[in-house]
Amino acid sequence: MATIYEVSELAKVSLATVSRVMNGNTRVSEKTRDRVLCAMKELDYRPNSIAQSLASNRSNCIGLLVSEIHGPFFGQMMSGVETELRAAGKHVIITTGHSEEDKEKDGIEFLISRNCDAIILHVEAVSDEYLVELSKGKTPIYLISRHVGELPDNCISLDNELGGFIATQSLIEKGHRNIAYLAGPQYKADAIARLQGHKRALSENNIAINEKLIFEAEFKEQGGIEGLRYFLQGKAAFSALVCANDEMASGAMTYAREHNLHMPKDLSVIGFDNVVFAPHLYPKLTTVDNPVNKMGSMAAKLVLKDVYQQEQHDIQQLFEPSLIMRDSVAEFS
Amino acid sequence: MATIYEVSELAKVSLATVSRVMNGNTRVSEKTRDRVLCAMKELDYRPNSIAQSLASNRSNCIGLLVSEIHGPFFGQMMSGVETELRAAGKHVIITTGHSEEDKEKDGIEFLISRNCDAIILHVEAVSDEYLVELSKGKTPIYLISRHVGELPDNCISLDNELGGFIATQSLIEKGHRNIAYLAGPQYKADAIARLQGHKRALSENNIAINEKLIFEAEFKEQGGIEGLRYFLQGKAAFSALVCANDEMASGAMTYAREHNLHMPKDLSVIGFDNVVFAPHLYPKLTTVDNPVNKMGSMAAKLVLKDVYQQEQHDIQQLFEPSLIMRDSVAEFS
DNA sequence: TTGTAGGCGTTATCAG
DNA sequence: CTGATAACGCCTACAA
């Protein structure tokens, strides 16, 4: 593999000049530039990115921590980050945190030790304080789908309250008034906000909040099953069910079918996130789209702008969810 | 950030000695080692991985090329690779090929230019010849879910023929004899092998092959829809449908339902791959498990063994699929 | 067992 | 605009 030195010899210029034409920041005369370019071509020269990193104190790699590498939600997110960053010639190192505090911290350590120029995090278990502390370190951090008050410029988040509102509002517009709400764990910020949105929709439509129609469970299939079982055993009637995410919705739908509830005739169901399997469910799940892919690419743009000083327009830090209508919701009759 | 030099000063030894205790390959006396370790701890020393790479000509990073970063299938695969490699302190750079020749080559170039110590590929569009040529380069390559005759030691693959056989055989054992087969694109090796397995199952059970009950389509939902429409319009009767992958199965199931075919009563359906949404389908899809996660981790082990000379036992290059029974197949009556 | 010194391929800071 | 030359932080013969 040819080195910059060989190129300089062939082009009869100094090392420095070759470096200059590569980086293009300093002016080089037309002729010498051409000579250098020719020499590079002839030798099929490729810069050694590691040597560049060492000399420039830049690794050109960005760390990305997600809860799980598999899983539909994170797939979209990673995809957004990678596409954007690769186009800029940067590379992405992906690792996992499994939503557990120790593992998240461990993953962050790993990424920092790899000399990443910045790290993009989707962390759930770690505290705000920890993140604030972390942000004082040498490696810049960016957060996806989480808002930390002290780090307003480093967060990309979703308006979960609005999402919760939209879901319930859409049901009300279809004539439903007795709406059960299956909430996510109330120590997670997004789960809290979604529930608030639901309550706001009820209030704005003058529907009293019935605590018996609210149940908290895990963001998983099993949570959906437990939730619907709870509501069905209760004495409060309801014609629609809002689930705080699609996995819960999937579980609830399975349970509903096993109990001979026809959807959407007997029960309308709406989810949240619009993960890949949502359109595969039966009936196809109406849900609130969570633009994770865009949020991922936006986090990447933020890094490009802050860390690499690349011009970026249209930086957007708060995203809005939108309704995806499919077949799991019917007009109330 | 402390450097090796500062550590050496504090421990009153030379640079070389510090380097030795880090790498642990050369013998160092107990006392000096302790002194060095103490100094490292005191300074909170972290080796600069980039400098290590430059000096040792190792980047400690492995490139991974998949068709799509999102997508259930690849999620499992990436996850397998990452887990194994991270445990070994290596890092993974992931990029995409989108099943298009140009993009796959481009992605490979990208990875090589990043100085990866090895690259693990899941490529579909690129030719065997290209891969053989590529393997002669400086960067070792490993293939997942593909078998190239000339590179027997660098391939991790699935016995697709056996998978095809298992699927059809399981149906036959349930009493089905008129079995439609929805094949994948017959320029893809796995699609071809799966179909062969199907035919072998028929032969071994003395069932004549009816060409009217074989249809080729894309490995997607749409392919499933087209396939079932074709079979339904044909005059050949059938009680079961084998799909060459789960996405096709999903499409076929949607189409079946729209045409009032009750599953599994009127029609048994079986898929292939066991992707995440398979258990979410209605009815829950019976399918052939494709152990991509294990294959990913095995590819990583192969790299650890070949490239980093780490002892590895239980290297396995050919994997066997297995049947996952759920609710989409019924006894023929 | 330990130390010395040269080098890995670039970038960046000076002069010229 | 161009050329020396010193970093960058670590590894690894070679010597001692």
Side-chain angles (χ1 to χ4, degrees):
Chain A
M1 188 95 282
T3 73
I4 196 176
Y5 181 72
E6 301 172 43
V7 175
S8 78
E9 273 193 323
L10 210 172
K12 297 192 207 309
V13 293
S14 73
L15 285 185
T17 304
V18 178
S19 175
R20 285 185 189 107
V21 345
M22 288 179 48
N23 299 303
N25 32 23
T26 324
R27 303 216 55 74
V28 179
S29 83
E30 193 81 23
K31 299 175 217 166
T32 43
R33 144 172 285 110
D34 281 353
R35 274 222 311 287
V36 171
L37 255 22
C38 272
M40 299 207 306
K41 195 140 291 176
E42 195 168 327
L43 295 170
D44 189 31
Y45 168 76
R46 321 279 184 96
N48 179 324
S49 56
I50 294 198
Q52 288 179 314
S53 299
L54 184 61
S56 65
N57 199 25
R58 277 270 151 88
S59 68
N60 283 312
C61 74
I62 289 87
L64 175 58
L65 179 74
V66 293
S67 295
E68 310 287 349
I69 285 188
H70 57 273
F73 188 84
F74 299 109
Q76 292 296 129
M77 196 169 106
M78 295 185 289
S79 183
V81 174
E82 197 271 336
T83 303
E84 195 72 38
L85 253 20
R86 176 176 167 192
K90 310 299 176 189
H91 66 224
V92 186
I93 298 178
I94 298 179
T95 194
T96 52
H98 300 281
S99 304
E100 293 170 34
E101 184 168 358
D102 289 350
K103 292 187 182 170
E104 287 185 350
K105 289 186 176 175
D106 197 65
I108 292 172
E109 279 293 318
F110 176 72
L111 259 16
I112 291 180
S113 83
R114 290 324 270 175
N115 264 289
C116 293
D117 292 338
I119 55 184
I120 298 174
L121 271 19
H122 181 286
V123 281
E124 307 180 293
V126 127
S127 70
D128 278 15
E129 294 74 51
Y130 172 83
L131 292 170
V132 171
E133 203 51 44
L134 188 65
S135 73
K136 293 177 184 160
K138 146 173 170 274
T139 310
I141 68 169
Y142 293 87
L143 304 173
I144 293 191
S145 204
R146 174 159 177 170
H147 183 75
V148 174
E150 293 90 332
L151 306 170
D153 302 332
N154 305 288
C155 298
I156 300 283
S157 56
L158 180 74
D159 191 339
N160 281 294
E161 199 273 348
L162 179 60
F165 176 83
I166 285 174
T168 298
Q169 179 67 26
S170 75
L171 254 17
I172 294 173
E173 283 167 10
K174 293 270 187 190
H176 296 275
R177 296 192 62 86
N178 295 305
I179 303 172
Y181 188 89
L182 190 38
Q186 293 295 301
Y187 61 88
K188 296 195 179 184
D190 46 3
I192 295 171
R194 290 174 192 182
L195 175 54
Q196 280 172 342
H198 164 70
K199 289 181 175 173
R200 178 163 66 89
L202 293 181
S203 302
E204 291 190 7
N205 289 278
N206 299 312
I207 299 176
I209 292 171
N210 181 348
E211 290 295 342
K212 287 177 186 147
L213 285 181
I214 295 178
F215 185 80
E216 178 182 337
E218 287 293 299
F219 267 146
K220 305 195 171 154
E221 294 236 313
Q222 189 56 34
I225 293 172
E226 287 163 12
L228 185 53
R229 179 192 301 133
Y230 169 86
F231 291 133
L232 255 21
Q233 285 172 352
K235 45 256 139 224
F238 58 100
S239 61
L241 173 67
V242 183
C243 298
N245 84 348
D246 290 348
E247 308 212 22
M248 294 171 114
S250 171
M253 285 165 77
T254 300
Y255 190 83
R257 205 153 32 230
E258 285 170 359
H259 291 71
N260 299 314
L261 275 176
H262 186 275
M263 292 165 290
K265 191 163 57 68
D266 302 335
L267 178 67
S268 287
V269 178
I270 189 167
F272 201 117
D273 279 346
N274 191 26
V275 300
V276 281
F277 65 71
H280 293 284
L281 295 175
Y282 176 67
K284 296 188 174 73
L285 186 65
T286 289
T287 188
V288 175
D289 185 55
N290 184 345
V292 259
N293 187 273
K294 283 185 193 161
M295 290 168 62
S297 102
M298 188 53 69
K301 284 185 183 174
L302 215 51
V303 170
L304 255 18
K305 171 170 151 297
D306 292 355
V307 179
Y308 300 108
Q309 286 80 42
Q310 295 190 5
E311 196 88 24
Q312 293 291 334
H313 33 272
D314 305 329
I315 288 291
Q316 178 188 357
Q317 300 203 71
L318 183 61
F319 282 74
E320 294 199 347
S322 57
L323 190 68
I324 304 289
M325 306 261 236
R326 284 196 274 252
D327 311 332
S328 64
V329 169
E331 201 83 31
F332 176 68
S333 53
Chain B
M1 189 93 279
T3 72
I4 195 176
Y5 182 72
E6 302 173 42
V7 175
S8 77
E9 273 194 323
L10 211 171
K12 298 193 204 307
V13 294
S14 73
L15 285 184
T17 305
V18 178
S19 174
R20 286 186 187 107
V21 343
M22 287 179 48
N23 300 303
N25 33 23
T26 324
R27 302 217 56 75
V28 179
S29 82
E30 192 81 22
K31 301 174 214 164
T32 44
R33 143 173 286 108
D34 281 353
R35 275 222 309 289
V36 172
L37 256 21
C38 274
M40 301 209 302
K41 194 139 292 175
E42 195 166 329
L43 294 170
D44 190 29
Y45 167 77
R46 321 277 185 98
N48 178 324
S49 56
I50 296 200
Q52 288 179 316
S53 299
L54 185 61
S56 66
N57 199 24
R58 277 271 153 86
S59 68
N60 283 313
C61 76
I62 289 88
L64 174 58
L65 179 75
V66 293
S67 294
E68 310 287 348
I69 286 188
H70 56 273
F73 189 84
F74 300 108
Q76 293 296 131
M77 196 169 106
M78 296 185 289
S79 183
V81 174
E82 198 270 339
T83 304
E84 195 73 38
L85 253 20
R86 176 176 167 192
K90 310 298 176 190
H91 66 225
V92 186
I93 298 178
I94 298 179
T95 194
T96 52
H98 299 280
S99 304
E100 293 169 34
E101 184 167 359
D102 290 350
K103 293 187 181 168
E104 287 186 349
K105 288 185 177 176
D106 197 65
I108 293 172
E109 279 293 319
F110 176 73
L111 259 15
I112 292 179
S113 84
R114 294 320 274 175
N115 265 293
C116 293
D117 293 339
I119 54 184
I120 297 174
L121 309 172
H122 181 285
V123 282
E124 305 179 294
V126 126
S127 70
D128 278 16
E129 294 74 48
Y130 172 83
L131 291 170
V132 171
E133 203 53 42
L134 186 66
S135 73
K136 293 176 184 160
K138 146 175 170 272
T139 311
I141 68 169
Y142 292 87
L143 304 173
I144 294 191
S145 203
R146 175 159 177 170
H147 183 77
V148 175
E150 293 90 333
L151 305 171
D153 301 332
N154 305 286
C155 298
I156 299 284
S157 56
L158 180 74
D159 191 339
N160 281 294
E161 199 271 349
L162 178 61
F165 176 84
I166 285 175
T168 298
Q169 179 69 26
S170 74
L171 255 17
I172 294 172
E173 283 168 8
K174 292 269 187 190
H176 296 275
R177 295 192 63 86
N178 295 304
I179 302 172
Y181 188 88
L182 189 39
Q186 294 295 300
Y187 62 87
K188 296 194 179 185
D190 45 3
I192 296 172
R194 290 174 193 184
L195 176 55
Q196 280 173 342
H198 164 71
K199 290 182 175 173
R200 178 162 66 89
L202 294 181
S203 302
E204 291 190 4
N205 290 279
N206 299 312
I207 299 175
I209 291 170
N210 180 349
E211 290 296 340
K212 287 177 187 147
L213 285 181
I214 296 179
F215 186 79
E216 179 182 336
E218 287 293 299
F219 266 147
K220 304 193 173 154
E221 292 236 313
Q222 189 56 34
I225 294 173
E226 287 163 13
L228 185 53
R229 178 190 303 131
Y230 169 86
F231 291 133
L232 254 22
Q233 284 171 354
K235 45 256 136 229
F238 59 99
S239 61
L241 173 67
V242 183
C243 299
N245 84 348
D246 290 347
E247 309 214 20
M248 296 171 113
S250 171
M253 284 165 77
T254 299
Y255 190 85
R257 206 152 31 228
E258 285 168 0
H259 290 74
N260 299 314
L261 273 176
H262 185 277
M263 292 164 291
K265 192 163 58 67
D266 304 333
L267 178 66
S268 286
V269 177
I270 188 167
F272 201 116
D273 279 346
N274 190 27
V275 299
V276 279
F277 66 70
H280 293 283
L281 295 175
Y282 176 68
K284 297 189 173 72
L285 186 66
T286 290
T287 188
V288 175
D289 185 57
N290 184 344
V292 259
N293 186 274
K294 282 185 194 159
M295 288 168 65
S297 101
M298 189 53 69
K301 283 185 184 174
L302 214 51
V303 169
L304 255 18
K305 171 170 151 296
D306 292 356
V307 179
Y308 300 107
Q309 286 81 42
Q310 295 189 5
E311 196 87 26
Q312 294 290 335
H313 34 273
D314 305 329
I315 288 292
Q316 177 187 359
Q317 300 202 73
L318 183 62
F319 282 74
E320 296 199 349
S322 58
L323 190 68
I324 304 289
M325 307 262 235
R326 284 197 273 253
D327 309 332
S328 66
V329 169
E331 201 83 31
F332 176 69
S333 54

